[in-house]
């Protein structure tokens, strides 16, 4: 509707109570609601009674009038400035305008001048009890007019009716709200609730009752109930007839109090119900239906059943075990006991013949006495079905034993007083001991947690406030539990930057803002553990790398009560990793740069890596070499021995080995190498790969060959002239060429002896050289020792004869041994010639053998002067002779015994001697007998 | 058992040839054909019909093993006692001699007084080994 300045000038003033009036109007919650029949009826009635074409229920809002009901008009509202009703609400009586065109307040009103052309208006204010005019009930005509008395009264009544309707409507809305919240309250009651109307039709079943029935019984036909649920009596044996159900009973007029019944429904455990039912009544006390309230008492029944079971079991145990029994006359205090009862506290029954309650109480542990008496009194008063007490009793020996008494009054007096009580007693010390042990183990575990110095254990409440700070945490962070618990959050020892960084990650991951304490626990709220590396800031400002595992703590019912964080200091581990990395790098550098050939070889024999030196040694490029099998590079004769060692290494018999091995290079030339192999195993001990090092000793081998040739040549070149010299002298001295003049004999003998000595010296030197270089080959044969000894005897006779020494064999026991016969002969001739040399003329040398355990011992015994004390330590050392001057006269190189020792040891034997100065010497060696 | 009589000795060193010759003939009472080279031995061996071939190893032109090889061409060497007489007695050298058919080795320097006895001993063993 158009507005102009004139219109505003003609507007009605505001009522004096305008603000309160608007508030009252708003409280009706009626503005802008849909039309309602009761109001529409009233305006129709008003129009009919007044004969006006237009009738309205108009509510005057702050800046508009809004029509709750209307007839004869399309508009739903108009501006308050042009509203006739704005004038009408200023008074309490009917406001009547007979001809608006001649009324100066309305003549220029667009409602009057416009198409609507209002001439007549009569509005009755809609007054609340407090006197606020919500608006009007008004009638309008395009012709001037006036209401008669009847019409005026009708308007007043109708207006009162409108107000009543509006206020009743509000009340109804409010009631509906209350009823709605009541319904939802009932819906979530822990007790089951079912209501019916007075006919017994089910009206409402709350959610717990629906759950117990497996269905909402109101939604299905009564005949179909057994398909879903059935009701039984409390024994569970008798199906409950409809007539016996609580609701039916109530509606029949019975009182239903604490009726027990059982519901068995599909998909639900059997439930024992305690039911109470009553009528539902309306506000006037009329019966409108019935309600039953059901409580699930299944758990109570199970508990009482288990007590019954326990008692049954006890009686069985009583018969089976030697439980103590007792009976007490409560009037006299006299007691009757059995042997076992007495035995439990260390007495014989006859020692307790005078026992009464008073004495008995003196044996009860002082801390348990009051509890004991109270339990008895409770039982006697009927508050407890049993006298059930665990207590300590003093044993005859002074210590306390734990006993469990279970008793019951079995005789009552005529006035209901307890007369006699009887029961059993069990010795439960062992059980208590176990309990104590469990408790102590638990304590111990707690102590371990406390003492877990390496692990920091920190718990917080749900908001992050620290609730536990163990000694490991104290140690790791330098804060004391006292300063942390209940005072700080973990933020205090975290790097803010790191936490922010993590918070950002989480925020973007979950697409919402995550920060603060939530950063640590966001991912574990619903379970699981979040483990990651963090930096802790210790109290002294130092930083520690830790691995933190966070998990949520829940109460029994699953309610989150806090979080638990366990962290381990990674600093040392990271250092170890770093040092491992450095050593790997170092190895890699060493590997690449090594002057010697090196390679990594898989356990299956394939190259993993080779270094430059190895490539160079074999004359291949790296790429070529990696394609060639190591076996192909090996000189065929050397392959097997290597493979054997590889097997032993993989088996764990050896961890590494070294061998001389020949290889073939790219030109087909032979390479002599020393192969060193070690097997690298992982932390679990599984073989990972071999590390090979091959030292090229071809040049060395060449040198060795040269040396061998040199030694061979030199010995040959020396011996050839020596052969002539000693041979010639031998022949001369041997008289082969005729008698030697006496004057020459001595000189020839000197020459002959020295030629022999030179020869022996050369032989010994060669032997020594071979032994030192490990080159003396032994050709082992199984032989009879006695034959070898006899042979040695014959060989030595020509040596001994000129010295007038007799060699005597002692011992005949056969002994098979495995030796190199030539080398053993060498030892024997050495020992025998020594014995001859150092024996006085005409003396006897004994060559003896005997079996000692698994060995055969061969002794060469002389009657010489014995070995001087001072020399004994050096006897098996090179170039040693007791006395240089005598030694020379006796001949010899001083190498003989050293060679003997080496030879015997190489033939798996041992050598030694016994000597007493002035009484001769016994040299012996032992060899294993086959 | 055949009695040992004839020994063919091949040795380039005249001193040793002389000493050995005397030792075998005078001390051992054996008939010795001393040759100064392998070549000479090849020329005279068949006529001499030796029972023992006593060969030096290191000789100029034709060494002991080569001489033995050549002798096989003209003699039934397997029926002869073959001994090398040498100062080169490293084990691998000895193995080598045995490998080419020697029955034993006489080590230089030798004892002239027992040389014949040593050879007699080998002869006895050799004959036993053949009989066996």
């Amino acid at each position: 509707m158009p507005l102009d300045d004139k219109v505003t000038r003609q507007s009605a003033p505001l009522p004096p109570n305008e603000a309160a009036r608007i508030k009252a109007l708003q409280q009706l919650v009626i503005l802008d609601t849909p039309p309602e029949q009761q109001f529409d009826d009233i305006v129709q009635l008003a129009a009919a009674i007044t004969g006006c074409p237009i009738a309205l229920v108009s509510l005057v809002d702050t800046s508009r009038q809004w029509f709750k009901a209307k007839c004869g008009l399309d508009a739903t509202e108009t501006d308050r400035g042009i509203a006739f009703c704005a004038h009408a609400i200023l008074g309490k009586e009917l406001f009547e305008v007979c001809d608006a065109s001649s009324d100066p307040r309305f003549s220029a009103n667009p409602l009057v001048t416009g198409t609507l052309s209002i001439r007549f208006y009569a509005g009755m204010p809609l007054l609340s009890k407090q006197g606020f005019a919500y608006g009007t009930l008004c009638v309008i005509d395009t012709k001037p007019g006036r209401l008669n008395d009847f019409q005026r009264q009708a308007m007043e009544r109708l207006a009162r009716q409108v107000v009543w309707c509006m206020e009743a409507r509000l009340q109804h809305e409010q009631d509906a709200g209350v009823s709605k919240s009541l319904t939802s309250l009932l819906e979530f009651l822990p007790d089951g609730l079912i209501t019916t109307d007075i006919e017994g039709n089910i009206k409402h079943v709350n959610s717990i009752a629906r759950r117990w029935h497996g269905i909402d019984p109101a939604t299905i036909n009564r005949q179909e109930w057994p398909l879903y649920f059935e009701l039984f009596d409390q024994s569970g044996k008798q199906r409950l007839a409809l007539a016996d159900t609580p609701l039916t009973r109530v509606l029949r007029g019975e009182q239903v109090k604490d009726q027990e019944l059982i519901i068995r429904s599909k998909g639900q455990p059997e439930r024992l119900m305690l039911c109470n039912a009553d009528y539902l009544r309306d506000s006037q006390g009329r019966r409108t239906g019935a309600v039953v309230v059901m409580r699930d008492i299944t758990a109570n029944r199970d508990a009482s059943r288990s007590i019954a079971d326990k008692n049954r079991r006890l009686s069985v145990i009583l018969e089976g075990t030697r439980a103590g029994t007792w009976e007490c006359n409560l009037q006299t205090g006299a007691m009757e006991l059995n042997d076992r009862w007495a035995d439990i506290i260390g007495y014989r029954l006859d020692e307790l013949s005078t026992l009464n309650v008073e004495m008995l109480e003196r044996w009860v542990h002082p801390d348990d006495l009051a509890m004991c008496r109270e339990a008895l009194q409770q039982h006697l008063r009927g508050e407890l079905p049993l006298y059930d007490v665990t207590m300590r009793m003093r044993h005859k020996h002074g210590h306390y034993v734990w006993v469990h008494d279970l008793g019951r009054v079995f005789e009552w007096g005529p006035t209901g007083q307890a007369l006699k009580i009887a029961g059993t007693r069990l010795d439960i010390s062992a059980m208590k001991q176990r309990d104590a042990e469990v408790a102590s183990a638990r304590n111990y575990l707690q102590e371990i947690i406390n003492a877990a110095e390496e692990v920091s254990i920190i718990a917080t409440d749900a908001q992050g406030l620290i609730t536990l700070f163990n000694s490991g945490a104290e140690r790791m962070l330098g804060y004391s539990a006292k300063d942390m618990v209940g005072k700080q959050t973990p933020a205090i020892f975290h790097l803010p930057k790191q936490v922010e960084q993590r918070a950002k990650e989480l925020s973007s991951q979950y697409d919402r803002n995550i920060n603060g304490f939530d950063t640590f626990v966001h991912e574990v709220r619903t379970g699981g553990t979040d483990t990651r590396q963090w930096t802790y800031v210790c109290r002294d400002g130092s930083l520690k790398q830790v691995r933190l595992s966070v998990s949520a703590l829940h109460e029994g019912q699953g309610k989150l009560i806090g979080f638990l964080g366990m962290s381990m200091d990674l600093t040392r581990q990271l250092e170890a990793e770093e040092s491992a990395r450095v050593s790997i790098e170092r190895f890699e550098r060493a590997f690449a740069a090594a002057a010697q050939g090196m390679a990594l070889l898989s356990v299956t024999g394939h190259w993993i890596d080779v270094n430059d030196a190895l490539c160079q040694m074999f004359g291949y490029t790296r790429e070529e070499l990696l394609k060639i099998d190591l076996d192909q590079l090996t000189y065929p004769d050397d392959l097997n021995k290597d493979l054997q060692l590889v097997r032993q290494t993989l088996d764990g018999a050896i961890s590494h080995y070294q061998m001389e091995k020949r290889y073939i290079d790219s030109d087909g030339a032979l390479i002599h190498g020393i192969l060193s192999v070690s097997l690298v195993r992982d932390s679990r001990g599984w073989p990972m790969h071999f590390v090979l090092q091959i030292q090229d000793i071809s040049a060395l081998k060449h040198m060795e060959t040269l040396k061998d040739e040199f030694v061979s040549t030199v010995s040959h070149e020396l011996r050839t002239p020596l052969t002539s010299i000693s041979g010639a002298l031998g022949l001369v001295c041997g008289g082969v060429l005729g008698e030697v003049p006496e004057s020459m004999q001595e000189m020839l003998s000197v020459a002959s002896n020295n030629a022999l000595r030179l020869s022996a010296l050369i032989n010994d030197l060669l032997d020594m050289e071979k032994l030192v270089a490990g080159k003396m080959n032994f050709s082992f044969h199984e032989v009879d020792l006695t034959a070898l000894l006899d042979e040695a005897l014959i060989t030595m006779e020509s040596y001994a004869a000129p010295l007038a020494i007799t060699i005597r064999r002692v011992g005949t026991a056969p002994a098979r041994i495995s030796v190199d016969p030539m080398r053993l002969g060498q030892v024997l001739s050495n020992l025998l010639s020594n014995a001859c040399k150092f024996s006085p003329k005409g003396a006897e040398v004994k060559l003896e053998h005997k079996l000692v355990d698994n060995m055969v011992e061969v002794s060469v015994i002389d009657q010489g002067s014995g070995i001087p004390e001072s020399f004994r330590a050096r006897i098996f050392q090179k170039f040693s002779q007791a006395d240089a001057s005598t030694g020379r006269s006796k001949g010899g190189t001083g190498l003989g015994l050293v060679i003997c020792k080496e030879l015997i040891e190489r033939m798996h034997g041992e050598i030694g001697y016994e000597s007493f100065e002035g009484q001769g010497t016994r040299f012996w060696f032992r060899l294993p007998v086959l | 058992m055949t009695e040992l009589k004839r020994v063919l000795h091949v040795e380039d060193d005249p001193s040793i040839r002389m000493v050995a010759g005397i030792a075998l003939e005078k001390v051992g009472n054996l008939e010795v054909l001393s040759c100064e080279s392998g070549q000479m031995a090849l020329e005279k061996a068949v006529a001499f019909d030796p029972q023992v071939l006593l060969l030096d190893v290191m000789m100029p032109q034709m060494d002991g093993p080569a001489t033995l090889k050549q002798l096989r061409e003209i003699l039934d060497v397997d029926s002869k006692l073959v001994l090398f007489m040498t100062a080169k007695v490293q084990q691998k050298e000895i193995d080598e001699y045995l490998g080419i058919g020697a029955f034993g080795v006489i080590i230089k320097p030798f004892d002239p007084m027992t040389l014949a006895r040593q050879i007699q001993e080998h002869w006895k063993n050799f004959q036993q080994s053949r009989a066996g």
Side-chain angles (χ1 to χ4, degrees):
Chain A
M1 295 227 176
L3 281 171
D4 61 25
D5 288 346
K6 286 180 209 157
V7 173
T8 57
R9 274 200 308 273
Q10 292 157 354
S11 301
L14 296 176
N17 57 357
E18 174 66 5
R21 188 192 69 84
I22 289 291
K23 199 176 170 198
L25 174 61
Q26 284 169 347
Q27 278 172 352
L28 287 176
V29 200
I30 195 170
L31 288 169
D32 301 307
T33 55
E36 286 171 59
Q37 189 64 48
Q38 69 234 40
F39 297 107
D40 290 348
D41 289 351
I42 291 172
V43 291
Q44 293 286 353
L45 201 57
I49 292 171
T50 57
C52 291
I54 298 170
L56 303 166
V57 171
S58 169
L59 302 172
V60 180
D61 198 1
T62 24
S63 58
R64 59 166 182 167
Q65 61 171 341
W66 176 82
F67 309 134
K68 173 63 188 171
K70 57 188 195 262
C71 78
L73 188 70
D74 290 333
T76 55
E77 60 182 33
T78 72
D79 194 275
R80 180 172 174 176
I82 58 171
F84 281 70
C85 298
H87 294 269
I89 61 166
L90 294 173
K92 295 194 186 312
E93 306 294 327
L94 183 78
F95 177 75
E96 201 171 6
V97 177
C98 298
D99 184 355
S101 60
S102 60
D103 189 318
R105 291 173 294 184
F106 305 105
S107 55
N109 191 309
L111 300 174
V112 177
T113 56
T115 47
L116 200 55
S117 330
I118 295 177
R119 291 296 178 269
F120 174 73
Y121 170 89
M124 184 63 208
L126 299 170
L127 290 169
S128 74
K129 288 185 193 98
Q130 289 80 28
F132 300 124
Y134 299 123
T136 65
L137 169 70
C138 64
V139 290
I140 292 170
D141 201 343
T142 49
K143 301 187 295 286
R146 175 178 283 271
L147 299 184
N148 57 27
D149 283 349
F150 166 73
Q151 289 167 324
R152 286 168 180 263
Q153 283 176 14
M155 282 298 280
E156 278 171 27
R157 289 198 179 108
L158 287 174
R160 269 204 300 279
Q161 192 62 37
V162 170
V163 171
W164 185 88
C165 282
M166 287 198 297
E167 288 177 349
R169 182 183 167 282
L170 177 66
Q171 187 61 47
H172 182 73
E173 291 286 321
Q174 283 170 350
D175 287 354
V178 169
S179 143
K180 210 165 160 187
S181 44
L182 266 177
T183 310
S184 69
L185 201 68
L186 293 178
E187 186 68 11
F188 296 109
L189 264 187
D191 287 344
L193 190 116
I194 300 178
T195 60
T196 68
D197 60 15
I198 199 69
E199 310 293 329
N201 300 309
I202 292 191
K203 286 297 183 197
H204 183 80
V205 181
N206 78 346
S207 80
I208 195 101
R210 289 199 298 274
R211 182 144 66 82
W212 290 342
H213 288 82
I215 191 168
D216 183 348
T219 61
I220 51 168
N221 203 310
R222 187 162 292 177
Q223 282 73 46
E224 291 174 10
W225 283 358
L227 295 176
Y228 298 92
F229 63 88
E230 284 183 299
L231 305 179
F232 290 83
D233 69 356
Q234 76 262 44
S235 73
K237 288 171 188 153
Q238 189 77 44
R239 201 172 265 110
L240 211 60
L242 186 63
D244 294 333
T245 60
L247 284 167
T248 319
R249 287 176 58 204
V250 161
L251 290 169
R252 210 164 50 222
E254 288 178 35
Q255 192 188 6
V256 179
K257 189 158 169 25
D258 293 342
Q259 180 184 357
E260 288 185 14
L261 58 85
I262 283 170
I263 300 181
R264 288 180 187 150
S265 57
K266 245 167 126 180
Q268 290 288 323
E270 173 181 304
R271 284 194 170 85
L272 179 65
M273 293 288 147
L274 183 72
C275 302
N276 285 287
D278 202 351
Y279 282 111
L280 281 174
R281 294 166 198 271
D282 66 10
S283 51
Q284 271 77 44
R286 287 176 299 230
R287 293 171 179 176
T288 58
V291 62
V292 62
V293 178
M294 301 174 291
R295 174 158 294 179
D296 183 352
I297 56 166
T298 319
N300 306 20
R301 180 197 60 183
D302 290 350
S304 51
R305 261 193 199 166
S306 95
I307 287 171
D309 285 351
K310 190 176 156 196
N311 291 344
R312 254 200 309 283
R313 272 200 300 280
L314 268 175
S315 66
V316 173
I317 291 166
L318 239 182
E319 288 162 20
T321 63
R322 289 171 53 241
T325 61
W326 50 270
E327 193 181 317
C328 174
N329 185 324
L330 292 163
Q331 307 301 309
T332 64
M335 299 204 65
E336 292 220 12
L337 309 165
N338 72 350
D339 291 334
R340 177 60 184 153
W341 196 100
D343 184 44
I344 289 172
I345 53 169
Y347 291 91
R348 286 194 319 274
L349 188 56
D350 55 9
E351 291 176 289
L352 302 178
S353 55
T354 59
L355 187 75
N356 58 30
V357 174
E358 200 184 317
M359 290 162 69
L360 184 73
E361 287 195 335
R362 283 207 297 271
W363 287 344
V364 176
H365 193 282
D367 293 352
D368 297 342
L369 187 57
M371 174 271 298
C372 230
R373 285 176 172 166
E374 175 59 21
L376 182 63
Q377 287 311 314
Q378 281 183 321
H379 175 60
L380 297 181
R381 286 197 300 266
E383 292 163 18
L384 288 175
L386 286 171
Y387 166 69
D388 184 346
V389 168
T390 300
M391 64 180 165
R392 286 161 285 183
M393 288 285 288
R394 199 167 66 229
H395 192 272
K396 189 179 183 181
H397 296 157
H399 63 274
Y400 282 92
V401 290
W402 279 97
V403 296
H404 180 204
D405 270 3
L406 211 57
R408 189 198 289 268
V409 173
F410 68 95
E411 209 176 305
W412 302 86
T415 54
Q417 79 272 32
L419 295 179
K420 283 184 177 174
I421 181 168
T424 60
R425 163 167 292 190
L426 288 172
D427 180 353
I428 56 163
S429 300
M431 207 165 81
K432 279 281 171 186
Q433 175 74 22
R434 271 199 303 281
D435 288 351
E437 277 165 14
V438 168
S440 130
R442 227 175 254 146
N443 278 342
Y444 181 61
L445 201 67
Q446 185 61 41
E447 276 167 28
I448 288 174
I449 287 174
N450 291 341
E453 299 273 288
E454 298 304 316
V455 183
S456 141
I457 302 172
I458 298 170
T460 71
D461 63 14
Q463 282 69 46
L465 194 65
I466 291 172
T467 54
L468 184 148
F469 199 80
N470 85 333
S471 58
E474 288 183 327
R475 201 172 102 110
M476 187 183 288
L477 290 161
Y479 291 102
S480 73
K482 194 163 60 81
D483 297 339
M484 302 298 276
V485 172
K487 295 176 185 164
Q488 295 289 348
T489 73
I492 191 173
F493 50 79
H494 275 272
L495 270 184
K497 268 193 181 161
Q498 207 175 36
V499 179
E500 279 165 33
Q501 175 62 34
R502 176 70 187 141
K504 256 186 222 166
E505 284 171 24
L506 285 168
S507 298
S508 86
Q509 188 182 340
Y510 291 96
D511 202 21
R512 62 198 187 82
N513 189 24
I514 292 167
N515 56 29
F517 180 67
D518 203 24
T519 311
F520 303 113
V521 301
H522 183 77
E523 300 212 298
V524 301
R525 280 190 186 282
T526 53
T529 305
D530 180 40
T531 301
R532 61 187 62 250
Q533 196 174 324
W534 290 97
T535 305
Y536 275 1
V537 186
C538 305
R539 185 180 203 158
D540 63 7
S542 64
L543 300 179
K544 274 190 180 144
Q545 296 302 314
V546 301
R547 172 167 295 133
L548 170 65
S549 298
V550 179
S551 50
L553 294 172
H554 291 98
E555 243 180 14
Q557 283 81 34
K559 188 190 165 209
L560 178 76
I561 54 167
F563 298 94
L564 184 71
M566 296 180 64
S567 44
M568 281 181 66
D569 191 346
L570 292 180
T571 314
R572 235 178 301 163
Q573 189 186 333
L574 292 173
E575 279 169 9
E577 277 170 15
E578 173 63 13
S579 102
R581 195 182 58 75
V582 167
S583 69
I584 287 169
E585 273 177 13
R586 207 173 286 153
F587 171 77
E588 280 172 352
R589 274 202 302 276
F591 180 79
Q596 284 174 2
M598 287 182 79
L600 296 183
L601 198 71
S602 76
V603 287
T604 52
H606 300 292
W607 298 117
I608 297 170
D609 199 5
V610 294
N611 73 347
D612 293 344
L614 193 74
C615 298
Q616 219 167 1
M617 185 189 300
F618 286 126
Y620 290 104
T621 65
R622 187 185 167 76
E623 288 70 29
E624 289 168 340
L625 188 57
L626 286 174
K627 282 179 205 154
I628 301 169
D629 211 349
L630 179 59
D631 291 353
Q632 285 174 267
L633 295 169
T634 304
Y635 186 71
D637 290 359
D638 293 353
L639 200 55
N640 267 338
K641 193 186 170 199
D642 191 12
L643 287 177
Q644 260 174 19
L645 289 166
V646 165
R647 268 194 293 277
Q648 287 179 28
T649 311
L650 286 173
D651 290 349
I654 50 176
S655 64
H656 62 274
Y657 65 87
Q658 194 173 57
M659 66 177 289
E660 259 193 59
K661 205 174 155 185
R662 287 165 293 180
Y663 298 95
I664 301 156
D665 72 7
S666 58
D667 295 334
L670 204 62
I671 299 174
H672 286 274
I674 292 181
L675 168 69
S676 306
V677 177
S678 45
L679 177 62
V680 179
R681 291 172 186 273
D682 66 14
S683 55
R684 290 166 306 162
W686 296 103
M688 284 167 66
H689 56 257
F690 293 105
V691 179
L692 268 59
Q693 186 179 323
I694 303 174
Q695 185 186 358
D696 186 350
I697 55 161
S698 302
L700 219 65
K701 274 279 165 188
H702 183 60
M703 287 295 296
E704 210 168 272
T705 314
L706 286 180
K707 193 185 87 184
D708 282 352
E709 280 169 16
F710 175 76
V711 167
S712 169
T713 309
V714 164
S715 60
H716 179 257
E717 294 308 321
L718 280 173
R719 276 166 170 168
T720 303
L722 195 58
T723 305
S724 309
I725 295 166
S726 59
L729 286 170
L731 290 171
V732 173
C733 295
V736 177
L737 304 173
E739 193 87 7
V740 181
E742 207 167 323
S743 58
M744 290 182 195
Q745 251 175 19
E746 201 186 338
M747 282 319 238
L748 282 170
S749 165
V750 168
S752 177
N753 282 340
N754 279 287
L756 285 175
R757 199 173 150 220
L758 185 57
S759 170
L761 187 58
I762 290 167
N763 287 340
D764 283 359
L765 278 172
L766 284 169
D767 279 352
M768 206 56 232
E769 196 270 338
K770 281 188 228 169
L771 281 170
V772 167
K775 289 243 189 76
M776 185 172 282
N777 287 316
F778 285 78
S779 150
F780 282 90
H781 294 281
E782 225 183 283
V783 291
D784 180 14
L785 175 69
T786 52
L788 287 183
L789 293 179
D790 291 344
E791 210 171 289
L793 188 70
I794 295 161
T795 314
M796 287 311 293
E797 264 168 356
S798 63
Y799 183 88
L803 301 169
I805 306 283
T806 322
I807 304 176
R808 189 158 69 89
R809 275 283 284 118
V810 180
T812 54
R816 292 202 69 76
I817 53 174
S818 176
V819 291
D820 182 333
M822 193 183 92
R823 297 298 175 196
L824 190 67
Q826 197 177 339
V827 172
L828 285 169
S829 73
N830 209 310
L831 294 178
L832 285 168
S833 65
N834 272 350
C836 295
K837 268 189 286 191
F838 292 101
S839 289
K841 218 167 187 173
E844 185 185 75
V845 168
K846 263 199 282 190
L847 175 60
E848 190 181 301
H849 84 276
K850 62 181 179 193
L851 293 170
V852 181
D853 297 329
N854 292 325
M855 310 284 277
V856 60
E857 184 180 270
V858 178
S859 303
V860 176
I861 303 157
D862 67 44
Q863 296 174 328
S865 51
I867 300 166
E869 193 71 43
S870 59
F871 178 62
R872 289 178 189 176
R874 294 182 293 126
I875 197 154
F876 287 114
Q877 288 175 4
K878 277 182 210 170
F879 304 109
S880 53
Q881 277 189 333
D883 178 336
S885 59
T886 48
R888 207 156 277 141
S889 76
K890 301 290 181 192
T893 58
L895 286 170
L897 285 173
V898 186
I899 292 167
C900 286
K901 184 170 190 293
E902 285 284 339
L903 292 176
I904 289 292
E905 284 173 1
R906 292 285 296 273
M907 292 187 288
H908 317 299
E910 50 186 332
I911 190 165
Y913 68 93
E914 288 157 10
S915 183
F916 303 97
E917 219 165 339
Q919 294 174 36
T921 303
R922 178 175 84 98
F923 272 92
W924 54 261
F925 60 83
R926 298 188 189 116
L927 290 164
V929 177
L930 296 171
Chain B
M1 172 114 20
T2 316
E3 194 192 347
L4 176 57
K5 287 177 184 156
R6 291 177 308 282
V7 176
L8 175 70
H9 183 209
V10 188
E11 168 64 66
D12 65 317
D13 188 312
S15 310
I16 295 174
R17 215 158 56 229
M18 185 177 74
V19 171
I22 293 168
L24 294 175
E25 286 174 345
K26 292 275 167 68
V27 182
N29 213 9
L30 296 168
E31 190 183 338
V32 177
L33 175 65
S34 290
C35 300
E36 62 180 36
S37 68
Q39 193 56 45
M40 186 176 165
L42 287 171
E43 285 163 17
K44 298 190 168 173
V46 177
F48 182 63
D49 186 26
Q51 292 162 295
V52 174
L53 303 174
L54 183 61
L55 308 171
D56 183 23
V57 175
M58 295 264 291
M59 291 185 289
Q61 278 131 32
M62 192 187 291
D63 68 5
T67 304
L68 179 63
K69 199 177 171 191
Q70 298 271 334
L71 283 170
R72 279 187 193 283
E73 307 284 318
I74 51 172
L75 285 177
D76 175 18
V77 169
D78 289 344
S79 65
K80 321 287 178 201
L81 168 65
V82 179
L83 299 171
F84 279 109
M85 189 188 226
T86 179
K88 294 178 71 101
V89 288
Q90 293 185 47
Q91 187 62 43
K92 64 178 181 187
E93 292 164 334
I94 289 174
D95 291 344
E96 208 177 297
Y97 308 145
L98 300 179
I100 57 171
F103 188 76
V105 177
I106 305 285
I107 296 166
K108 284 179 184 175
F110 55 84
D111 177 0
M113 298 309 287
T114 61
L115 178 63
R117 209 195 308 172
Q118 277 188 71
I119 291 173
Q120 285 285 5
E121 193 73 20
H122 280 305
W123 177 248
K124 196 171 84 187
N125 291 338
F126 173 66
Q127 289 222 332
Q128 272 172 2
S129 77
R130 276 173 66 81

